[in-house]
Amino acid sequence: MRQTERHREIKRILDRKPAASVDDLCELLEVSPATVRRDLKALAASGDVRRFHGGAEPASGGRRLQGTPFARNLTTNVQQKKAIAQVAAALCDEGESLIVDAGTTTYFMCPHLNGRDLQVLTNSIPVVDQLIGDASVRLHVPGGEIYREQNIILSPFEHDGVSQYAASKMFIGAGALSRRGLLQVDSILIQAEKRLLARAEELIVLADSSKFAATASLILCGLDRIDRVVTDDGIPEEARLYLERAGIAVQIVDA
């Protein structure tokens, strides 16, 4: 492949992905790391991409995640989320290893996790902020970029530091929950959450009843991967039935 063709292909790749590592580009272009680095240097000089250590991203310098900012989500359905979070925290056993995914409902679990001698892997900066003062909680965070609006740490790359972690439970919110499964709204979020999901034995979804009417276009996992859903008493009867028919334990909180 000629240089001009490689440059066009690199730009096409970065049109589809928020970032690409040198290793990714080597595999996709079937060239050496030295060749990729020269190409990225030339593309950065012409303003077509922005380089960072180990890879490149679009010249716009990354992007915001799709979806509602964390601060705004903190003000919606608060009563339901807090009730769900309290019940979810009660599912944690003393000394367990957990994954607590970013989100406002999972964030509300934090006051109920204190003093429990837990290990917690989280990509949520607010969760870290809530738990860092508790010496009984051992905190782990993945590597990656901070997305300020969602207060989350995400990486599009495989080597984000979570591959050696093993959790008995993962607690996660949802962009939407439907017959198709657990859905989210952003591709980089999906990539990062799939790596977290692979490290957990049991998946527990925390979803207030509004999530059954919400829409999202990207499937994180099917219903067959979900073990338990904790929701409020506004859940539609139809949704409760299809979750239970899929073998999911549905825990309904009086909110």
Side-chain angles (χ1 to χ4, degrees):
M1 187 183 294
R2 295 183 178 180
Q3 183 186 66
T4 54
E5 294 172 330
R6 291 197 307 272
H7 287 189
R8 281 197 297 270
E9 185 60 24
I10 289 171
K11 287 187 282 187
R12 276 196 293 268
I13 290 167
L14 291 175
D15 282 340
R16 299 191 301 267
K17 299 178 65 175
S21 68
V22 170
D23 289 343
D24 290 339
L25 294 171
C26 287
E27 183 176 348
L28 292 168
L29 301 174
E30 299 182 344
V31 295
S32 69
T35 298
V36 169
R37 291 189 184 98
R38 284 195 299 270
D39 289 340
L40 293 180
K41 183 176 180 180
L43 287 167
S46 63
D48 290 310
V49 306
R50 187 166 77 91
R51 295 178 70 192
F52 56 82
H53 182 69
E57 62 187 8
S60 57
R63 60 186 179 90
R64 295 177 178 178
L65 293 181
Q66 296 182 52
T68 308
F70 181 86
R72 192 186 309 165
N73 269 332
L74 271 179
T75 66
T76 61
N77 302 321
V78 175
Q79 182 177 343
Q80 293 93 329
K81 289 176 180 178
K82 286 186 174 181
I84 290 167
Q86 184 172 359
V87 169
L91 298 171
C92 303
D93 296 324
E94 193 83 10
E96 248 187 322
S97 295
L98 309 173
I99 297 174
V100 179
D101 192 52
T104 50
T105 311
T106 50
Y107 167 78
F108 285 128
M109 290 177 64
C110 293
H112 309 290
L113 297 178
N114 290 323
R116 305 282 292 279
D117 190 29
L118 300 168
Q119 289 200 60
V120 175
L121 170 64
T122 184
N123 54 10
S124 168
I125 295 171
V127 169
V128 171
D129 186 58
Q130 286 287 303
L131 296 179
I132 198 168
D134 184 354
S136 74
V137 177
R138 189 172 178 181
L139 285 168
H140 306 259
V141 294
E145 182 177 352
I146 293 173
Y147 289 77
R148 289 176 176 82
E149 283 195 332
Q150 274 79 12
N151 281 282
I152 189 172
I153 305 167
L154 295 176
S155 170
F157 306 134
E158 293 291 335
H159 305 295
D160 56 0
V162 305
S163 60
Q164 303 305 312
Y165 194 83
S168 51
K169 296 183 180 79
M170 178 173 174
F171 294 88
I172 189 171
L177 194 56
S178 76
R179 294 178 186 272
R180 294 182 296 164
L182 176 59
L183 297 99
Q184 299 288 20
V185 296
D186 195 281
S187 58
I188 189 172
L189 185 62
I190 289 281
Q191 292 175 52
E193 286 183 335
K194 281 187 174 180
R195 289 196 292 277
L196 292 175
L197 184 54
R199 312 313 308 166
E201 295 176 12
E202 183 179 355
L203 179 62
I204 301 173
V205 178
L206 311 185
D208 67 79
S209 54
S210 71
K211 298 302 175 67
F212 294 96
T215 57
S217 59
L218 301 173
I219 300 173
L220 173 62
C221 66
L223 294 179
D224 59 334
R225 179 60 181 88
I226 300 171
D227 297 283
R228 182 182 295 268
V229 170
V230 185
T231 186
D232 62 75
D233 49 8
I235 179 176
E237 180 66 8
E238 179 190 7
R240 182 187 67 79
L241 289 173
Y242 70 65
L243 292 175
E244 290 181 344
R245 286 169 184 157
I248 298 169
V250 180
Q251 196 159 351
I252 299 175
V253 176
D254 183 3

